Amino acid sequence: MVGRLVGLSVAALLASTAVPLAAETPDREQIVSIVKEQRDATIEDLREWIALPTIAAEKLNTPAGAEYMKQLALDAGFQQAKIIPTDGVPAVFATLDAGAETTLGLYFMYDVKQFDPSEWDAPPLEGRLVEREGEGLTIVGRGAVNQKGPEMALLAAIKAIQASGKKLPVNLVLVAEGEEEVASTHFDQVVAVPEVRDALAKTVGVFIPSAAQSKDGSANITLGAKGAVEFQLVVGGETSDKYPKTDIHSSNHARIENPAWRLVKALDTLVADDGHTPAIDGWFENVRPLTERQKELIAEGAALNPEEEAKALLGVGRWIDDEPYVTSLERFLSQPTVNIQGLIAGYTGPGGKTVLPGRAEAKLEFRLVPAMTKDEAVSKLKAHLAKRGFDDVQVTVSGGYGPNETDEDSVLIRAQKALFDEKGIPYSIRPRNAGSWPGVIFNGPPLNLPASQFGLSRGGGAHAPNEWFLIESSDPKVNGLDEAIMAYVDYLYVVAEEAAEVSD
């Protein structure tokens, strides 16, 4: 997912005992046996999927990735699957009618982040099995954990139930996009298709498979995520005739403006002098503060997750303004941000080149919190720059969406609590992820559905070199692939049970 959450993977926090225990999955041992029998085939399926990366930013394998996702759905038993065209990368829509009383929505992404093979210890598209110290046997490759590993585990769970001769306890509606890693640029077009929208409207909610198990075996429940908007600011000969069309000799800076300086001046207005507090006019108008319940959850998580471990994971020695740990976590989950991802201008090679750049570009992103919206954020950015006379700064929005929230009492969250309680798995509840996924497309109007993440698997390195997904765990408390698949099997049955209780 875009900008995965780092740093709040807390340990055991048992939630309310008022949640009813889930019924045992029928003939579970038979399904376990089938999962084991299919294990090699599942690993090979994952390896082959890793070998076909769809990278929206590079327009790599965009038609092929959608066709591959469509076939994966059909192979898993979906009766129909079709390509949904958009103004960008196509999506996939599939349905599985099991004749059940409850229908569950699934959100997949089939695209992955860019990669540089020179930075990897194992080839990023090979799907090599690698022993990882302290974890166990892993599969390494781009997309292994984000999100092909968890998604393949869910598809394997669907196959295993059907191979046991049973119908699924829920009907399924699947939507899979190929632009999640560029902030879901056209995903709203997919859900706007009447056939897709009507199918999703029948669901009790939509969830994305994830690898949300911590190293100590505890699980994580999240009640939402920040929104994300990705955009570029460009200054140069393409935006105004006061800048050169190409790099020119630097002596001309005495009489010609440098677009890099102009971009720096514009960027400086977006944050306060502290370098991190957003300073865009009206930025905090619609920011909803944390509730007392959310602060309580954050404090409980902080008490169980050592601060030094969080700092070590991030490679830092202090938080902003040397704030206390709990304060930093509240900021992490509640504050909207204006972040510079990268700056590009002129010559950056060895030595000097004495040029005046013809173009300067900054790549940025916003992280949005309730009750902000993408349109509001973009509008305020443009108005802010215009007010200060930066009419020569071109703003190009490449993708984005608002934040999402789901109630603790929704069927999806109740089912997670019930499952973890039944299995004796300790868990924490996060008010939201600081990273983002487009759950607001389901969570907001016109669908207004619960949207969540679920997965009892483990992995790491999302967006980074040597991305991995756990296949065989060295710790019995932590799930390998087989156990992750069975967690999805159990979750489907618990969702059906919880939905039936709610409807009663």
Side-chain angles (χ1 to χ4, degrees), residues 103-277:
T103 300
L104 178 63
L106 307 175
Y107 167 82
F108 277 22
M109 50 180 282
Y110 67 82
D111 64 318
V112 298
K113 271 293 185 188
Q114 304 94 316
F115 57 88
D116 180 351
S118 68
E119 298 175 343
W120 291 61
D121 296 329
L125 302 183
E126 182 180 311
R128 181 180 295 178
L129 295 178
V130 175
E131 192 71 29
R132 184 178 179 86
E133 185 177 357
E135 298 281 0
L137 186 66
T138 69
I139 187 169
V140 175
R142 176 53 86 223
V145 70
N146 182 21
Q147 296 286 121
K148 291 180 177 179
E151 290 169 351
M152 186 59 73
L154 176 53
L155 293 174
I158 296 168
K159 290 180 182 179
I161 295 173
Q162 294 173 106
S164 73
K166 298 177 183 62
K167 291 185 176 182
L168 267 66
V170 291
N171 310 313
L172 298 174
V173 176
L174 169 68
V175 284
E177 70 160 319
E179 293 183 309
E180 200 279 344
E181 295 293 12
V182 290
S184 303
T185 318
H186 302 97
F187 187 52
D188 57 338
Q189 296 177 6
V190 180
V191 178
V193 173
E195 181 183 12
V196 179
R197 182 193 61 228
D198 293 347
L200 287 168
K202 297 174 183 176
T203 69
V204 294
V206 180
F207 84 92
I208 175 175
S210 65
Q213 193 169 29
S214 298
K215 192 172 184 178
D216 63 1
S218 60
N220 297 299
I221 296 174
T222 57
L223 303 179
K226 286 184 176 180
V229 182
E230 292 197 346
F231 60 98
Q232 296 81 45
L233 299 184
V234 175
V235 183
E238 66 199 82
T239 69
S240 173
D241 62 3
K242 63 185 177 182
Y243 307 113
K245 298 294 185 185
T246 62
D247 291 1
I248 59 176
H249 196 282
S250 61
S251 63
N252 284 289
H253 190 29
R255 59 179 181 169
I256 298 175
E257 287 200 45
N258 185 321
W261 279 119
R262 183 64 167 168
L263 178 61
V264 168
K265 295 293 186 182
L267 290 171
D268 189 49
T269 71
L270 302 184
V271 293
D273 289 343
D274 61 17
H276 60 81
T277 301

Side-chain angles (χ1 to χ4, degrees), residues 252-450:
N252 284 289
H253 190 29
R255 59 179 181 169
I256 298 175
E257 287 200 45
N258 185 321
W261 279 119
R262 183 64 167 168
L263 178 61
V264 168
K265 295 293 186 182
L267 290 171
D268 189 49
T269 71
L270 302 184
V271 293
D273 289 343
D274 61 17
H276 60 81
T277 301
I280 297 171
D281 297 337
W283 188 247
F284 290 94
E285 259 179 354
N286 295 317
V287 171
R288 187 188 305 156
L290 291 170
T291 65
E292 289 306 311
R293 171 61 173 163
Q294 289 170 331
K295 290 181 179 179
E296 177 186 337
L297 292 173
I298 291 171
E300 289 171 341
L304 294 166
N305 182 45
E307 180 177 15
E308 290 310 310
E309 287 186 15
K311 287 180 176 177
L313 181 65
L314 295 164
V316 300
R318 63 184 67 186
W319 310 117
I320 280 177
D321 297 333
D322 289 318
E323 289 176 337
Y325 187 34
V326 171
T327 305
S328 78
L329 291 175
E330 289 182 354
R331 177 192 292 276
F332 187 44
L333 298 182
S334 70
Q335 291 299 296
T337 61
V338 178
N339 178 54
I340 299 175
Q341 299 178 358
L343 292 169
I344 307 166
Y347 177 72
T348 59
K353 198 179 178 183
T354 60
V355 297
L356 188 157
R359 186 179 194 274
E361 176 180 354
K363 292 186 179 294
L364 298 92
E365 110 262 348
F366 295 147
R367 297 286 170 169
L368 310 180
V369 299
M372 303 173 80
T373 68
K374 171 191 171 184
D375 289 346
E376 169 205 357
V378 172
S379 175
K380 286 180 176 176
L381 168 67
K382 291 180 177 179
H384 173 93
L385 292 173
K387 180 179 177 181
R388 288 156 180 80
F390 288 105
D391 55 337
D392 54 333
V393 177
Q394 176 181 295
V395 179
T396 301
V397 178
S398 55
Y401 43 80
N404 69 83
E405 288 186 296
T406 288
D407 193 270
E408 273 190 80
D409 200 42
S410 69
V411 167
L412 297 185
I413 304 303
R414 285 169 55 93
Q416 291 185 44
K417 291 181 180 180
L419 178 61
F420 298 153
D421 284 341
E422 178 200 354
K423 302 296 183 183
I425 299 171
Y427 61 92
S428 63
I429 303 175
R430 298 167 175 162
R432 70 179 62 98
N433 273 348
S436 305
W437 73 287
V440 68
I441 302 296
F442 312 110
N443 214 195
L447 291 171
N448 300 309
L449 292 168

